[in-house]
Amino acid sequence: MVAFRFHQYQVVGRALPTPGDEHPKIYRMKLWATNEVRAKSKFWYFLRKLKKVKKSNGQVLAINEIFERNPTTIKNYGIWLRYQSRTGYHNMYKEYRDTTLNGAVEQMYNEMASRHRVRSPCIQIIKTATVHFKLCKRDNTKQFHNAKIKFPLVYRKVRPPTRKLKTTFKASRPNLLM
Amino acid sequence: MPFKRFVEIGRVALVNYGKDYGRLVVIVDVVDQNRALVDAPDMVRCQMNFKRLSLTDIKIDINRVPKKTTLIKAMEEADVKNKWENSSWGKKLIVQKRRASLNDFDRFKVMLAKIKRGGAVRQELAKLKKVAAA
């Protein structure tokens, strides 16, 4: 599989212990970032909005990358997100079919960029979940919930197997049918 | 012209681009409009874009996402390997591979064989011409 741009991290952190509070509560967050450094930064960004703690008076206890448990089965992923458009913030729910959650998240970022011109810093993922096929809402994903799925490939432009064999001009019209 | 080769569970396809170029794989499930979950007896199940696959005429009888052993058994029953190697497409690929792997001595032998064959054809042609002229 191609390398994913967005990795899923689990970041665990807490405020630093003070004389007033010897054992501050530990918080865990699962988030998506391109690398660990950014993951930690995002963790503090979100935690600041939820609790009265900043990076300067807190500590990250653990950061681990989360990998897909079953990358060989297809799942329906529902992603709830909050994004900033040119005129304000909106919430959205999108569904994707993919084998891994990272793949679905990557699809989401690409789709938001293409359909709504929203760049990745302006997107916050609220929640992700694997959705049972009976609970899927979008027709686009529901149309693939068919055990006897069958469709032809209509416009078959066959690529040269290596880029070296690519030619600008062809002697005869390529056969698009198969 | 109605379509004859469909993307369906059990369709055998040839990978025509990328790392697994030339491998025969079975479509085991469809992810979405552009991708399929694809499996072969000697590789980990992975997803592939349809642009990388060329569908063949061979189809085997499996359920959605079978276990590896079930897949191998179904492929044996449908005799995919022999059907492929006896099909004209499969035979062409085998010949191409053989030609690409010839060494210089083999190419010399091929050259001699071609000359011999050309000579035999021309002799017969000359005989036929003589008969036609007479």
Side-chain angles (χ1 to χ4, degrees):
Chain A
M1 197 58 248
V2 194
F4 294 118
R5 198 157 71 99
F6 289 94
H7 301 264
Q8 188 181 14
Y9 293 99
Q10 166 189 271
V11 188
V12 182
R14 66 168 187 175
L16 287 168
T18 62
D21 188 3
E22 291 291 319
H23 300 287
K25 232 187 191 138
I26 304 179
Y27 297 101
R28 178 186 86 124
M29 224 183 147
K30 286 203 257 189
L31 36 84
W32 271 268
T34 44
N35 53 35
E36 284 190 5
V37 175
R38 281 196 163 156
K40 285 192 269 190
S41 172
K42 275 239 180 93
F43 172 75
W44 289 120
Y45 169 78
F46 285 120
L47 206 57
R48 258 199 335 260
K49 297 195 175 301
L50 300 168
K51 300 286 161 196
K52 198 89 157 60
V53 63
K54 301 164 115 175
K55 182 172 176 212
S56 55
N57 55 16
Q59 55 185 184
V60 163
L61 299 171
I63 172 164
N64 309 98
E65 186 167 355
I66 299 177
F67 298 99
E68 183 69 31
R69 189 174 274 182
N70 279 330
T72 52
T73 55
I74 299 173
K75 296 164 277 277
N76 308 298
Y77 292 101
I79 301 182
W80 286 258
L81 56 135
R82 174 178 188 249
Y83 72 97
Q84 182 180 19
S85 71
R86 292 178 191 144
T87 43
Y89 283 89
H90 309 272
N91 294 332
M92 244 192 204
Y93 166 70
K94 287 191 156 291
E95 273 179 13
Y96 297 100
R97 260 175 81 82
D98 203 318
T99 51
T100 64
L101 185 47
N102 286 347
V105 163
E106 183 133 357
Q107 266 187 291
M108 183 274 292
Y109 276 107
N110 287 333
E111 191 176 348
M112 290 302 288
S114 65
R115 289 225 152 98
H116 306 281
R117 304 293 191 251
V118 178
R119 279 93 195 169
S120 54
C122 303
I123 294 176
Q124 299 173 8
I125 299 178
I126 302 171
K127 175 177 150 180
T128 62
T130 39
V131 184
H132 188 62
F133 68 88
K134 286 210 184 84
L135 303 171
C136 280
K137 283 172 59 178
R138 305 288 183 243
D139 286 327
N140 203 2
T141 50
K142 289 206 295 203
Q143 69 181 340
F144 292 101
H145 293 155
N146 180 359
K148 304 212 185 316
I149 192 166
K150 176 174 170 174
F151 55 89
L153 291 173
V154 173
Y155 184 84
R156 294 297 282 154
K157 195 165 150 319
V158 186
R159 289 188 286 192
T162 55
R163 302 234 20 223
K164 211 177 245 198
L165 300 167
K166 187 172 86 150
T167 55
T168 327
F169 301 104
K170 307 243 179 272
S172 50
R173 265 219 147 138
N175 180 13
L176 299 170
L177 204 48
M178 304 253 166
Chain B
M1 306 146 284
F3 295 100
K4 289 194 217 77
R5 296 176 186 161
F6 293 87
V7 168
E8 52 197 328
I9 294 172
R11 173 69 55 180
V12 174
L14 184 72
V15 179
N16 61 22
Y17 188 90
K19 193 167 64 90
D20 296 314
Y21 175 60
R23 201 198 279 259
L24 271 187
V25 292
V26 178
I27 293 177
V28 141
D29 201 355
V30 170
V31 177
D32 63 21
Q33 197 186 343
N34 298 322
R35 293 175 293 165
L37 200 56
V38 127
D39 207 356
D42 56 344
M43 74 181 211
V44 180
R45 200 189 304 157
C46 68
Q47 63 173 336
M48 272 198 182
N49 197 317
F50 288 127
K51 291 188 180 179
R52 291 199 178 195
L53 298 174
S54 296
L55 305 179
T56 65
D57 288 321
I58 309 172
K59 178 177 169 341
I60 67 178
D61 194 13
I62 49 172
N63 283 327
R64 205 180 71 94
V65 190
K67 285 217 255 273
K68 202 63 166 235
T69 46
T70 323
L71 176 69
I72 295 179
K73 202 160 74 97
M75 284 183 86
E76 296 286 313
E77 270 175 34
D79 208 11
V80 168
K81 195 156 155 14
N82 282 334
K83 270 201 213 152
W84 175 245
E85 282 168 8
N86 294 334
S87 69
S88 49
W89 187 358
K91 277 195 249 179
K92 262 193 281 185
L93 288 187
I94 293 175
V95 168
Q96 275 176 10
K97 246 192 230 161
R98 180 83 183 94
R99 286 204 181 136
S101 67
L102 292 175
N103 63 28
D104 188 60
F105 185 45
D106 289 328
R107 274 173 291 186
F108 177 72
K109 285 191 273 186
V110 167
M111 176 188 77
L112 294 183
K114 278 193 186 166
I115 292 173
K116 198 170 188 178
R117 182 180 71 175
V121 166
R122 244 170 274 133
Q123 270 190 331
E124 284 303 313
L125 184 60
K127 278 194 216 152
L128 288 173
K129 274 201 200 157
K130 226 194 233 176
V131 170

